[in-house]
Amino acid sequence: MAAKAHFKDTDMQAVIGWVLRIGVIVSVSVVFIGGVLYMYRHEGLIPDYSKFHGVPNFVQLHGLINGIINLKGRSIIQAGIILLIATPILRIVFSTISFVLEKDYLYIGISLLVLLIIIISSIGGHVG
């Protein structure tokens, strides 16, 4: 009978490393694609920053989704930035899973506390 393989800490560290690498590569690629679309559609346009016009539509969720569907460059860039922000949060999630597998209760608690703070900050934050 074959021996049962165990998932080791080094395996989880490799997974976390790949999550970080893939997250950064995907987010940078999305920002790049959004930037190319934005430059293509707004060639030669000079922005006027002398007056504040309020929070742009692409910053809010419904505007972001509509902008991505309609291939608007600024919305796609914003989505890439959100992916970049989500990457280290995924690292915390995978670290928590690693601590659960190791039965390291102190670090499970710390990781869950950090995730709770991030969630509360995200929900409690407001735009505008």
Side-chain angles (χ1 to χ4, degrees):
M1 190 166 213
K4 185 177 176 183
H6 293 283
F7 199 71
K8 298 177 187 147
D9 183 46
T10 54
D11 298 330
M12 183 55 83
Q13 293 304 322
V15 169
I16 291 170
W18 278 106
V19 166
L20 292 173
R21 280 185 208 96
I22 291 170
V24 169
I25 290 169
V26 168
S27 62
V28 166
S29 300
V30 170
V31 168
F32 179 76
I33 291 167
V36 168
L37 285 170
Y38 183 81
M39 295 299 288
Y40 176 74
R41 290 190 176 166
H42 298 91
E43 180 181 354
L45 183 68
I46 299 173
D48 179 21
Y49 295 117
S50 63
K51 187 174 184 184
F52 181 68
H53 300 285
V55 177
N57 190 32
F58 69 89
V59 175
Q60 299 168 349
L61 184 60
H62 61 85
L64 178 68
I65 292 170
N66 287 335
I68 292 169
I69 291 170
N70 294 315
L71 296 177
K72 302 247 178 175
R74 292 191 307 179
S75 295
I76 295 171
I77 292 168
Q78 184 74 14
I81 292 170
I82 291 169
L83 287 171
L84 188 61
I85 292 169
T87 299
I89 296 171
L90 275 174
R91 185 208 189 285
I92 297 169
V93 170
F94 276 92
S95 294
T96 305
I97 293 169
S98 172
F99 298 140
V100 167
L101 292 174
E102 294 175 9
K103 297 181 179 158
D104 192 342
Y105 300 111
L106 175 64
Y107 286 107
I108 292 170
I110 293 170
S111 298
L112 290 175
L113 180 64
V114 169
L115 284 174
L116 181 66
I117 291 169
I118 291 170
I119 291 168
I120 290 172
S121 298
S122 299
I123 292 171
H126 59 78
V127 176

